[in-house]
Amino acid sequence: MSGKTETFELRDGASGRSSQLPVRTGTIGPAALDIAGLHKDLDVFTYDPGFGATAATESRITYIDGDAGVLLYRGYPIEQLAEKSSFMEVAYLLLLGELPTSRQLEEFTGNIRYHTMLNETLLRFFNGFHHNAHPMAMVSAVVASMSAFYHDTMDIHNPRHREIFSHRIIAKLPTIAAAAHKHSLGQPFIYPRNELDYAANLLHMLFAVPCEAYKLDPIASEALDLLFILHADHEQNASTSTVRLAGSTGANPYAAISAGVSALWGPAHGGANEAVLAMLEQIGSVDHIPKHLAMAKDKSGHFRLMGFGHRVYKNFDPRAQIIRAMCHKVLARLGRADNPLFELALRLEEIALKDEYFVSRKLYPNVDFYSGVIYSAIGIPRSMFTVMFAVARTVGWVAHWQEMISDPGMRIGRPRQLYTGATRREYLEIARRG
Ligand code: SDX
């Protein structure tokens, strides 16, 4: 564990018992009270549903300051990486902890590039899905099924096996994503092309057809590469915590990543980008914004302003600001500067951020609020938005899985509970019940 430790004493006035809680300090951010001895000393648990104030682990990968709107990948500000880096370089940084040299990046990119094809038998799995299956259902299922194909490198305690897994899953996710899309269209799968970079290859597999040459739009691949950088990691979010918990049991890494895909799918998490577009289309026009803001405040209803709010950011999500700026640039370069959905999103943000309900609760646009505008503008259908998020976040999931599995102190995750159910009672035969 990093940092110096001091100690907090917690005393139970009634019994006079006390517990010494070591304070663990990191490099930046809040210190953490080590409560591991609390139950033994005082026979109590801590209580924190949703883990809003609980550090489940130590990590060196990503740092977020929610109040200041700061996001660092291995110490590098997201704004600088968004402006100067590439998704493959960011993937290397998140996985290995340092920015690569040219030779290291070339070698890493080559390892990814030459693992993009799927086993032909695995491609046949897609034919088992109904044509209108949600792509996230197909992606989570096929990712889990990869463990049935790669028995040779499944020793999670073998660093080389872990490295091969990392390359394979990052390389193959775009191919799986594109295959899910092609299946839903009833079109033939398009194989990856080794001369294309990561984002361009995915666009080619998504949109090319065998009967004509596909003309790649450099703006689209530039925008997608940037979106991948912004979505690559985000410390202990719900899907990453799911990957860590699943991986902590010793489950194979493909199963752990598949669990992360499933957790990301929820509209409160990665599924929000798809829900934002549905919401904007439901709102339809600026004059319907006040009605929908009222619905979002109505606790009796389920309507929420999708793409707004965040468990950690109580300031602007820096990724949302970068994506908003990118919207202007991409839409203008695509000749769609007057994109009605983007105009509506901008007005919705402007009006919501003048509304006391949102301001007092510090509800700002998050990463999902504007991303769908760009996905739509480059031709990606709404049902594929969360799949795009999963492709990018696979890098973060793998980085966290690697960090956990390579920690000799790793233990299976097993939260406790505050029990409020029935106390012991005796079984009653059915003939004697009510
Ligand atoms: C992602 O964790 C991560 O880092 C996730 C992520 C990542 O990169 O991995 O950043 C990606 O998941 C972004 C979030 C995408 N989800 C959405 O956009 C869905 C809409 N947002 C909300 O569901 C909500 O804001 C959450 C889920 C994001 C955060 O939920 P919290 O932290 O549990 O907040 P809360 O529900 O306790 O809300 C606090 C208050 C409540 O009102 P009061 O009880 O104080 O009166 O704010 C209200 C909430 O009702 N509120 C909203 C709202 N979000 C919170 N009201 C209307 N619309 C919203 N969007």
Side-chain angles (χ1 to χ4, degrees):
M1 299 287 263
S2 64
K4 63 180 173 50
T5 59
E6 292 157 3
T7 303
F8 269 36
E9 179 179 62
L10 196 58
R11 176 175 295 278
D12 174 1
S15 68
R17 292 160 65 192
S18 67
S19 182
Q20 304 299 317
L21 306 180
V23 177
R24 297 193 178 275
T25 52
T27 42
I28 38 179
L33 271 184
D34 185 334
I35 58 165
L38 189 62
H39 180 231
K40 177 173 60 62
D41 295 345
L42 296 180
D43 197 27
V44 292
F45 294 143
T46 57
Y47 184 69
D48 183 17
F51 309 113
T54 295
T57 185
E58 174 182 335
S59 180
R60 294 170 173 73
I61 300 171
T62 291
Y63 175 72
I64 302 170
D65 179 336
D67 293 329
V70 167
L71 171 57
L72 308 177
Y73 286 170
R74 299 284 189 180
Y76 293 97
I78 192 68
E79 295 81 1
Q80 293 179 22
L81 293 170
E83 184 190 342
K84 301 173 181 176
S85 189
S86 67
F87 181 59
M88 282 292 99
E89 185 176 77
V90 164
Y92 184 101
L93 172 66
L94 288 169
L95 288 169
L96 297 161
E98 298 296 335
L99 287 171
T101 62
S102 303
R103 191 190 56 72
Q104 288 168 332
L105 182 58
E106 187 182 342
E107 183 183 351
F108 176 77
T109 306
N111 281 327
I112 299 300
R113 177 167 290 149
Y114 294 105
H115 283 89
T116 49
M117 281 177 61
L118 280 184
N119 183 302
E120 286 291 309
T121 315
L122 201 54
L123 271 179
R124 288 204 285 273
F125 276 43
F126 289 92
N127 296 330
F129 289 99
H130 200 258
H131 69 87
N132 60 3
H134 194 288
M136 284 294 278
M138 293 189 252
V139 171
S140 62
V142 172
V143 167
S145 305
M146 289 173 74
S147 59
F149 286 77
Y150 300 116
H151 298 293
D152 59 328
T153 53
M154 293 272 275
D155 174 2
I156 61 174
H157 302 296
N158 180 329
R160 178 60 182 142
H161 285 197
R162 293 203 299 266
E163 183 186 38
I164 292 170
F165 152 73
S166 304
H167 294 159
R168 270 186 175 139
I169 194 73
I170 292 168
K172 296 180 194 304
L173 237 296
T175 312
I176 292 169
H181 178 54
K182 285 301 193 186
H183 176 70
S184 61
L185 296 177
Q187 288 184 2
F189 300 131
I190 299 296
Y191 287 91
R193 299 292 299 265
N194 290 344
E195 76 274 15
L196 297 176
D197 71 25
Y198 197 83
N201 213 350
L202 175 50
L203 290 168
H204 175 263
M205 291 188 282
L206 284 169
F207 300 127
V209 287
C211 31
E212 61 186 39
Y214 172 65
K215 188 173 179 334
L216 188 72
D217 181 341
I219 304 162
S221 60
E222 181 187 328
L224 193 55
D225 194 83
L226 176 53
L227 286 170
F228 284 163
I229 290 172
L230 296 172
H231 286 79
D233 192 52
H234 214 236
E235 63 142 82
Q236 305 307 320
N237 60 83
S239 53
T240 300
S241 298
T242 300
V243 170
R244 280 180 171 260
L245 193 56
S248 75
T249 70
N252 75 76
Y254 300 100
I257 299 297
S258 175
V261 173
S262 299
L264 185 74
W265 195 357
H269 191 14
N273 54 18
E274 183 180 343
V276 167
L277 257 289
M279 175 187 72
L280 291 174
E281 287 170 3
Q282 179 186 336
I283 294 172
S285 66
V286 175
D287 51 4
H288 293 159
I289 288 177
K291 182 182 81 173
H292 286 83
L293 290 186
M295 286 163 59
K297 304 173 194 175
D298 177 4
K299 302 294 183 205
S300 65
H302 295 291
F303 183 85
R304 288 288 177 274
L305 212 48
M306 301 314 282
F308 262 72
H310 198 276
R311 171 61 54 79
V312 177
Y313 288 122
K314 300 309 174 189
N315 193 323
F316 270 95
D317 179 334
R319 303 167 298 175
Q321 292 186 295
I322 296 167
I323 295 173
R324 181 178 55 198
M326 189 167 70
C327 280
H328 285 295
K329 179 179 156 191
V330 169
L331 293 173
R333 286 171 62 182
L334 288 173
R336 300 183 197 160
D338 59 347
N339 181 296
L341 279 179
F342 182 45
E343 295 303 318
L344 185 58
L346 289 170
R347 295 285 289 123
L348 177 57
E349 174 188 348
E350 179 191 342
I351 296 169
L353 294 187
K354 289 175 184 162
D355 184 304
E356 188 277 336
Y357 177 93
F358 295 92
V359 174
S360 62
R361 290 168 177 78
K362 300 184 178 181
L363 302 177
Y364 293 93
N366 59 50
V367 68
D368 292 306
F369 188 61
Y370 288 107
S371 56
V373 171
I374 294 180
Y375 288 138
S376 288
I378 61 179
I380 292 171
R382 194 193 312 167
S383 62
M384 286 291 290
F385 290 0
T386 310
V387 174
M388 295 294 113
F389 197 150
V391 169
R393 188 52 58 88
T394 293
V395 166
W397 291 333
V398 171
H400 282 272
W401 178 83
Q402 285 271 26
E403 181 177 67
M404 176 186 71
I405 294 290
S406 53
D407 175 359
M410 183 196 89
R411 299 174 69 212
I412 186 172
R414 204 306 188 180
R416 300 306 304 273
Q417 64 177 14
L418 174 68
Y419 179 71
T420 55
T423 56
R424 178 188 169 92
R425 51 186 172 164
E426 303 312 313
Y427 183 81
L428 197 62
E429 285 67 24
I430 196 164
R432 296 170 55 208
R433 296 173 206 158

mmCIF file of all heavy atoms in Angstrom, residues 155-180:
data_model
loop_
_atom_site.group_PDB
_atom_site.id
_atom_site.type_symbol
_atom_site.label_atom_id
_atom_site.label_comp_id
_atom_site.label_asym_id
_atom_site.label_seq_id
_atom_site.Cartn_x
_atom_site.Cartn_y
_atom_site.Cartn_z
ATOM 1 N N ASP A 155 -4.026 -19.305 -18.008
ATOM 2 C CA ASP A 155 -3.473 -19.345 -16.648
ATOM 3 C C ASP A 155 -3.336 -17.891 -16.175
ATOM 4 O O ASP A 155 -2.401 -17.185 -16.572
ATOM 5 C CB ASP A 155 -2.115 -20.055 -16.634
ATOM 6 C CG ASP A 155 -1.469 -19.984 -15.257
ATOM 7 O OD1 ASP A 155 -2.102 -19.411 -14.324
ATOM 8 O OD2 ASP A 155 -0.328 -20.461 -15.123
ATOM 9 N N ILE A 156 -4.256 -17.427 -15.353
ATOM 10 C CA ILE A 156 -4.279 -16.002 -14.967
ATOM 11 C C ILE A 156 -3.043 -15.615 -14.154
ATOM 12 O O ILE A 156 -2.751 -14.443 -13.998
ATOM 13 C CB ILE A 156 -5.559 -15.653 -14.179
ATOM 14 C CG1 ILE A 156 -5.657 -16.451 -12.890
ATOM 15 C CG2 ILE A 156 -6.800 -15.847 -15.037
ATOM 16 C CD1 ILE A 156 -6.848 -16.035 -12.006
ATOM 17 N N HIS A 157 -2.303 -16.593 -13.656
ATOM 18 C CA HIS A 157 -1.088 -16.268 -12.878
ATOM 19 C C HIS A 157 0.161 -16.278 -13.746
ATOM 20 O O HIS A 157 1.255 -16.064 -13.256
ATOM 21 C CB HIS A 157 -0.955 -17.252 -11.706
ATOM 22 C CG HIS A 157 -2.148 -17.230 -10.804
ATOM 23 N ND1 HIS A 157 -2.515 -16.111 -10.061
ATOM 24 C CD2 HIS A 157 -3.119 -18.156 -10.577
ATOM 25 C CE1 HIS A 157 -3.614 -16.357 -9.391
ATOM 26 N NE2 HIS A 157 -4.021 -17.586 -9.675
ATOM 27 N N ASN A 158 -0.030 -16.496 -15.056
ATOM 28 C CA ASN A 158 1.090 -16.490 -16.002
ATOM 29 C C ASN A 158 1.110 -15.139 -16.726
ATOM 30 O O ASN A 158 0.209 -14.864 -17.530
ATOM 31 C CB ASN A 158 0.909 -17.634 -17.004
ATOM 32 C CG ASN A 158 2.038 -17.696 -18.023
ATOM 33 O OD1 ASN A 158 2.624 -16.663 -18.373
ATOM 34 N ND2 ASN A 158 2.331 -18.896 -18.491
ATOM 35 N N PRO A 159 2.114 -14.291 -16.454
ATOM 36 C CA PRO A 159 2.136 -12.944 -17.041
ATOM 37 C C PRO A 159 2.044 -12.962 -18.560
ATOM 38 O O PRO A 159 1.393 -12.093 -19.158
ATOM 39 C CB PRO A 159 3.469 -12.373 -16.560
ATOM 40 C CG PRO A 159 3.788 -13.137 -15.323
ATOM 41 C CD PRO A 159 3.251 -14.538 -15.553
ATOM 42 N N ARG A 160 2.668 -13.942 -19.206
ATOM 43 C CA ARG A 160 2.619 -13.997 -20.668
ATOM 44 C C ARG A 160 1.201 -14.321 -21.136
ATOM 45 O O ARG A 160 0.698 -13.748 -22.101
ATOM 46 C CB ARG A 160 3.608 -15.040 -21.196
ATOM 47 C CG ARG A 160 3.616 -15.216 -22.722
ATOM 48 C CD ARG A 160 3.968 -13.963 -23.440
ATOM 49 N NE ARG A 160 3.914 -14.150 -24.894
ATOM 50 C CZ ARG A 160 3.469 -13.228 -25.750
ATOM 51 N NH1 ARG A 160 3.035 -12.047 -25.299
ATOM 52 N NH2 ARG A 160 3.427 -13.464 -27.052
ATOM 53 N N HIS A 161 0.521 -15.220 -20.410
ATOM 54 C CA HIS A 161 -0.876 -15.530 -20.768
ATOM 55 C C HIS A 161 -1.743 -14.270 -20.612
ATOM 56 O O HIS A 161 -2.605 -13.993 -21.440
ATOM 57 C CB HIS A 161 -1.416 -16.644 -19.872
ATOM 58 C CG HIS A 161 -0.909 -18.003 -20.207
ATOM 59 N ND1 HIS A 161 -1.521 -19.157 -19.752
ATOM 60 C CD2 HIS A 161 0.153 -18.404 -20.953
ATOM 61 C CE1 HIS A 161 -0.859 -20.208 -20.201
ATOM 62 N NE2 HIS A 161 0.165 -19.771 -20.935
ATOM 63 N N ARG A 162 -1.475 -13.515 -19.542
ATOM 64 C CA ARG A 162 -2.261 -12.287 -19.313
ATOM 65 C C ARG A 162 -2.013 -11.285 -20.436
ATOM 66 O O ARG A 162 -2.914 -10.608 -20.911
ATOM 67 C CB ARG A 162 -1.902 -11.677 -17.957
ATOM 68 C CG ARG A 162 -2.313 -12.519 -16.756
ATOM 69 C CD ARG A 162 -2.458 -11.672 -15.507
ATOM 70 N NE ARG A 162 -1.214 -11.010 -15.131
ATOM 71 C CZ ARG A 162 -0.337 -11.519 -14.258
ATOM 72 N NH1 ARG A 162 -0.549 -12.720 -13.721
ATOM 73 N NH2 ARG A 162 0.759 -10.862 -13.936
ATOM 74 N N GLU A 163 -0.769 -11.217 -20.891
ATOM 75 C CA GLU A 163 -0.439 -10.279 -21.980
ATOM 76 C C GLU A 163 -1.129 -10.691 -23.288
ATOM 77 O O GLU A 163 -1.729 -9.875 -23.977
ATOM 78 C CB GLU A 163 1.073 -10.220 -22.185
ATOM 79 C CG GLU A 163 1.501 -9.211 -23.253
ATOM 80 C CD GLU A 163 2.985 -9.248 -23.552
ATOM 81 O OE1 GLU A 163 3.569 -10.358 -23.559
ATOM 82 O OE2 GLU A 163 3.557 -8.164 -23.786
ATOM 83 N N ILE A 164 -1.094 -11.990 -23.578
ATOM 84 C CA ILE A 164 -1.754 -12.482 -24.807
ATOM 85 C C ILE A 164 -3.256 -12.227 -24.737
ATOM 86 O O ILE A 164 -3.875 -11.750 -25.690
ATOM 87 C CB ILE A 164 -1.460 -13.988 -25.010
ATOM 88 C CG1 ILE A 164 0.021 -14.201 -25.336
ATOM 89 C CG2 ILE A 164 -2.345 -14.570 -26.114
ATOM 90 C CD1 ILE A 164 0.448 -15.662 -25.310
ATOM 91 N N PHE A 165 -3.843 -12.496 -23.570
ATOM 92 C CA PHE A 165 -5.283 -12.201 -23.389
ATOM 93 C C PHE A 165 -5.551 -10.725 -23.650
ATOM 94 O O PHE A 165 -6.482 -10.360 -24.362
ATOM 95 C CB PHE A 165 -5.740 -12.587 -21.982
ATOM 96 C CG PHE A 165 -6.894 -11.768 -21.494
ATOM 97 C CD1 PHE A 165 -8.166 -11.971 -22.009
ATOM 98 C CD2 PHE A 165 -6.701 -10.741 -20.575
ATOM 99 C CE1 PHE A 165 -9.236 -11.190 -21.601
ATOM 100 C CE2 PHE A 165 -7.764 -9.944 -20.163
ATOM 101 C CZ PHE A 165 -9.037 -10.165 -20.686
ATOM 102 N N SER A 166 -4.716 -9.853 -23.103
ATOM 103 C CA SER A 166 -4.926 -8.400 -23.249
ATOM 104 C C SER A 166 -4.927 -8.013 -24.725
ATOM 105 O O SER A 166 -5.817 -7.293 -25.191
ATOM 106 C CB SER A 166 -3.820 -7.627 -22.523
ATOM 107 O OG SER A 166 -3.754 -7.998 -21.177
ATOM 108 N N HIS A 167 -3.955 -8.522 -25.464
ATOM 109 C CA HIS A 167 -3.884 -8.182 -26.895
ATOM 110 C C HIS A 167 -5.101 -8.738 -27.628
ATOM 111 O O HIS A 167 -5.730 -8.072 -28.452
ATOM 112 C CB HIS A 167 -2.593 -8.736 -27.502
ATOM 113 C CG HIS A 167 -1.359 -8.096 -26.961
ATOM 114 N ND1 HIS A 167 -0.110 -8.671 -27.027
ATOM 115 C CD2 HIS A 167 -1.181 -6.925 -26.280
ATOM 116 C CE1 HIS A 167 0.780 -7.882 -26.450
ATOM 117 N NE2 HIS A 167 0.157 -6.811 -25.987
ATOM 118 N N ARG A 168 -5.445 -9.996 -27.324
ATOM 119 C CA ARG A 168 -6.555 -10.639 -28.047
ATOM 120 C C ARG A 168 -7.869 -9.906 -27.831
ATOM 121 O O ARG A 168 -8.583 -9.583 -28.771
ATOM 122 C CB ARG A 168 -6.728 -12.082 -27.547
ATOM 123 C CG ARG A 168 -5.933 -13.103 -28.277
ATOM 124 C CD ARG A 168 -6.285 -14.505 -27.808
ATOM 125 N NE ARG A 168 -5.573 -15.510 -28.611
ATOM 126 C CZ ARG A 168 -5.034 -16.597 -28.085
ATOM 127 N NH1 ARG A 168 -5.131 -16.809 -26.767
ATOM 128 N NH2 ARG A 168 -4.395 -17.477 -28.839
ATOM 129 N N ILE A 169 -8.193 -9.604 -26.593
ATOM 130 C CA ILE A 169 -9.525 -9.029 -26.322
ATOM 131 C C ILE A 169 -9.626 -7.614 -26.863
ATOM 132 O O ILE A 169 -10.640 -7.223 -27.443
ATOM 133 C CB ILE A 169 -9.858 -9.093 -24.819
ATOM 134 C CG1 ILE A 169 -11.340 -8.831 -24.575
ATOM 135 C CG2 ILE A 169 -9.026 -8.125 -23.990
ATOM 136 C CD1 ILE A 169 -12.259 -9.944 -24.979
ATOM 137 N N ILE A 170 -8.534 -6.848 -26.771
ATOM 138 C CA ILE A 170 -8.560 -5.470 -27.305
ATOM 139 C C ILE A 170 -8.627 -5.505 -28.822
ATOM 140 O O ILE A 170 -9.327 -4.734 -29.471
ATOM 141 C CB ILE A 170 -7.335 -4.678 -26.811
ATOM 142 C CG1 ILE A 170 -7.444 -4.433 -25.304
ATOM 143 C CG2 ILE A 170 -7.185 -3.337 -27.547
ATOM 144 C CD1 ILE A 170 -6.163 -3.918 -24.663
ATOM 145 N N ALA A 171 -7.916 -6.461 -29.411
ATOM 146 C CA ALA A 171 -7.891 -6.580 -30.881
ATOM 147 C C ALA A 171 -9.226 -7.044 -31.436
ATOM 148 O O ALA A 171 -9.670 -6.582 -32.484
ATOM 149 C CB ALA A 171 -6.792 -7.557 -31.299
ATOM 150 N N LYS A 172 -9.881 -7.958 -30.722
ATOM 151 C CA LYS A 172 -11.069 -8.617 -31.289
ATOM 152 C C LYS A 172 -12.386 -7.914 -30.970
ATOM 153 O O LYS A 172 -13.402 -8.159 -31.616
ATOM 154 C CB LYS A 172 -11.119 -10.075 -30.855
ATOM 155 C CG LYS A 172 -9.948 -10.900 -31.384
ATOM 156 C CD LYS A 172 -10.000 -12.333 -30.945
ATOM 157 C CE LYS A 172 -8.691 -13.047 -31.184
ATOM 158 N NZ LYS A 172 -8.204 -13.016 -32.563
ATOM 159 N N LEU A 173 -12.394 -7.045 -29.968
ATOM 160 C CA LEU A 173 -13.655 -6.381 -29.627
ATOM 161 C C LEU A 173 -14.239 -5.629 -30.827
ATOM 162 O O LEU A 173 -15.433 -5.756 -31.104
ATOM 163 C CB LEU A 173 -13.459 -5.450 -28.431
ATOM 164 C CG LEU A 173 -14.349 -5.692 -27.220
ATOM 165 C CD1 LEU A 173 -15.812 -5.466 -27.542
ATOM 166 C CD2 LEU A 173 -14.177 -7.088 -26.640
ATOM 167 N N PRO A 174 -13.471 -4.844 -31.582
ATOM 168 C CA PRO A 174 -14.057 -4.176 -32.750
ATOM 169 C C PRO A 174 -14.638 -5.161 -33.773
ATOM 170 O O PRO A 174 -15.702 -4.914 -34.347
ATOM 171 C CB PRO A 174 -12.884 -3.394 -33.352
ATOM 172 C CG PRO A 174 -11.939 -3.190 -32.214
ATOM 173 C CD PRO A 174 -12.064 -4.436 -31.373
ATOM 174 N N THR A 175 -13.969 -6.285 -33.967
ATOM 175 C CA THR A 175 -14.459 -7.283 -34.927
ATOM 176 C C THR A 175 -15.775 -7.876 -34.445
ATOM 177 O O THR A 175 -16.719 -8.059 -35.216
ATOM 178 C CB THR A 175 -13.394 -8.388 -35.114
ATOM 179 O OG1 THR A 175 -12.117 -7.782 -35.324
ATOM 180 C CG2 THR A 175 -13.731 -9.285 -36.295
ATOM 181 N N ILE A 176 -15.845 -8.145 -33.144
ATOM 182 C CA ILE A 176 -17.094 -8.662 -32.542
ATOM 183 C C ILE A 176 -18.197 -7.612 -32.652
ATOM 184 O O ILE A 176 -19.333 -7.904 -33.026
ATOM 185 C CB ILE A 176 -16.840 -9.054 -31.081
ATOM 186 C CG1 ILE A 176 -15.923 -10.277 -30.993
ATOM 187 C CG2 ILE A 176 -18.151 -9.310 -30.328
ATOM 188 C CD1 ILE A 176 -15.410 -10.566 -29.589
ATOM 189 N N ALA A 177 -17.848 -6.350 -32.350
ATOM 190 C CA ALA A 177 -18.831 -5.261 -32.414
ATOM 191 C C ALA A 177 -19.391 -5.124 -33.821
ATOM 192 O O ALA A 177 -20.609 -5.052 -34.024
ATOM 193 C CB ALA A 177 -18.173 -3.952 -31.973
ATOM 194 N N ALA A 178 -18.499 -5.147 -34.789
ATOM 195 C CA ALA A 178 -18.937 -4.982 -36.188
ATOM 196 C C ALA A 178 -19.760 -6.181 -36.650
ATOM 197 O O ALA A 178 -20.761 -6.032 -37.360
ATOM 198 C CB ALA A 178 -17.718 -4.799 -37.090
ATOM 199 N N ALA A 179 -19.377 -7.374 -36.201
ATOM 200 C CA ALA A 179 -20.128 -8.575 -36.585
ATOM 201 C C ALA A 179 -21.542 -8.522 -36.028
ATOM 202 O O ALA A 179 -22.510 -8.907 -36.713
ATOM 203 C CB ALA A 179 -19.408 -9.828 -36.082
ATOM 204 N N ALA A 180 -21.686 -8.005 -34.811
ATOM 205 C CA ALA A 180 -23.031 -7.870 -34.222
ATOM 206 C C ALA A 180 -23.873 -6.930 -35.079
ATOM 207 O O ALA A 180 -25.041 -7.203 -35.365
ATOM 208 C CB ALA A 180 -22.923 -7.349 -32.793
#
